[in-house]
Amino acid sequence: MPDSASIDVDALLQGYARIARANGAQFRLNARLERGERSRGLWRLQTSEGPLTASILVNAAGAWADVVAESCDVAPLGFTPMRRTGVIVDAPETWPMRALPACIDVAEDFYFKPDAGRIMVSPADETLSPPTDAAADDYDVAVAINRLTDACKIDVRRVRSTWAGLRTFSPDRNPVAGHSCGGDGFFWLAGQGGAGVQTAPALARIAAALICNTEPELDPGPLSPLRFRTRSQAREARVS
Ligand SMILES: Cc1cc2nc3c(=O)[nH]c(=O)nc-3n(C[C@H](O)[C@H](O)[C@H](O)COP(=O)(O)OP(=O)(O)OC[C@H]3O[C@@H](n4cnc5c(N)ncnc54)[C@H](O)[C@@H]3O)c2cc1C
């Protein structure tokens, strides 16, 4: 698509943070949620930076979404974190970097795209991982470079940087946004997989509408965590 563009993820995040602060949000960075208990309509949260209370708790903990749920005595949904690797290499001098599109192999075995004058290449890996601060594995870096050099018939002389992150999937690989089945003020916002940046504005608007009890722009049914309810949980919900 000639009119497609890259998202500056850091600028997007800082922009959202500015808007949130301007609307009264407070940020507690490095405050790890250790335990949450619901009592008399409130969440009482123990964090590494002290206690907090809240009427609604939004679980947007990415790869740790199930861990956070369990620390609040909410049944996990079965999220799967998967590692994906990124590698930055120099582009061949002859490549038209300003016009270069993002290129994805038809089998989605690898992809590459221009990145600040260089090439970002990924082996499109999906390696199962526990929730952790992921790091690139040398093998995945070698696979990425091998697929790039093979497909484009170029030499890669220098790897500039490597990284990896976790893309977290729900059991049906679609995102989850909605209240848990317990009616306990626990809201799931997780499982964005490989599209959590580009879907963030839309998913956040749907989540905000559900939390504030207003009409969402789209049918939120397919995003509901209730689709993963076990039969006994569904029976309990009908009885109560
Ligand atoms: C190599 C790679 C390429 C990608 N490419 C794209 C792309 O092209 N387009 C796209 O849209 N997406 C892409 N993604 C996916 C995107 O990055 C994710 O979907 C997105 O980051 C998920 O956001 P999140 O906020 O749900 O989770 P995260 O960004 O993982 O945030 C979760 C946060 O919860 C915090 N947390 C966890 N446990 C606790 C706790 N107990 N207490 C307090 N805080 C806690 C963590 O510290 C973390 O800050 C890519 C990902 C990778 C790895």
Side-chain angles (χ1 to χ4, degrees):
M1 298 284 285
D3 56 352
S4 65
S6 270
I7 297 172
D8 181 333
V9 178
D10 182 51
L12 184 76
L13 186 63
Q14 297 311 328
Y16 286 150
R18 258 197 313 277
I19 295 169
R21 280 197 187 93
N23 283 287
Q26 290 176 20
F27 288 81
R28 306 277 170 92
L29 303 177
N30 298 317
R32 184 160 53 86
L33 175 66
E34 286 159 353
R35 174 101 192 106
E37 278 174 24
R38 183 86 176 166
S39 92
R40 283 180 266 148
L42 277 184
W43 282 104
R44 293 170 202 284
L45 308 171
Q46 290 166 29
T47 80
S48 52
E49 295 290 307
L52 290 171
T53 54
S55 51
I56 294 182
L57 173 60
V58 178
N59 178 7
W64 291 265
D66 277 341
V67 178
V68 162
E70 283 177 315
S71 70
C72 296
D73 295 327
V74 171
L77 296 183
F79 286 102
T80 311
M82 290 180 158
R83 193 179 65 231
R84 174 153 294 183
T85 309
V87 183
I88 300 286
V89 298
D90 285 339
E93 278 171 17
T94 51
W95 279 20
M97 293 307 289
R98 294 187 79 81
L100 194 73
C103 302
I104 306 174
D105 173 43
V106 279
E108 251 193 80
D109 273 345
F110 85 108
Y111 59 86
F112 63 93
K113 57 182 183 176
D115 188 303
R118 298 196 165 116
I119 302 284
M120 182 272 194
V121 55
S122 171
D125 44 336
E126 290 197 344
T127 309
L128 283 173
S129 167
T132 185
D133 283 334
D137 183 280
D138 287 349
Y139 175 79
D140 296 322
V141 172
V143 170
I145 292 172
N146 184 262
R147 290 184 184 158
L148 177 72
T149 53
D150 227 33
C152 301
K153 310 291 176 229
I154 57 167
D155 274 342
V156 168
R157 298 221 171 91
R158 185 154 172 205
V159 171
R160 292 281 178 171
S161 62
T162 65
W163 80 97
L166 298 178
R167 298 153 79 247
T168 300
F169 295 93
S170 75
D172 63 10
R173 290 181 73 98
N174 285 324
V176 180
H179 292 280
S180 76
C181 63
D184 50 7
F186 189 93
F187 191 93
W188 290 93
L189 183 56
Q192 286 97 325
V197 178
Q198 61 221 56
T199 56
L203 206 58
R205 282 211 296 274
I206 293 172
L210 292 172
I211 291 166
C212 300
N213 235 345
T214 59
E215 192 63 35
E217 295 156 57
L218 293 173
D219 171 15
L223 302 171
S224 170
L226 306 187
R227 69 193 194 270
F228 302 121
R229 265 189 312 192
T230 61
R231 281 197 192 142
S232 64
Q233 283 170 331
R235 223 176 7 250
E236 273 170 34
R238 272 199 303 276
V239 170
S240 61

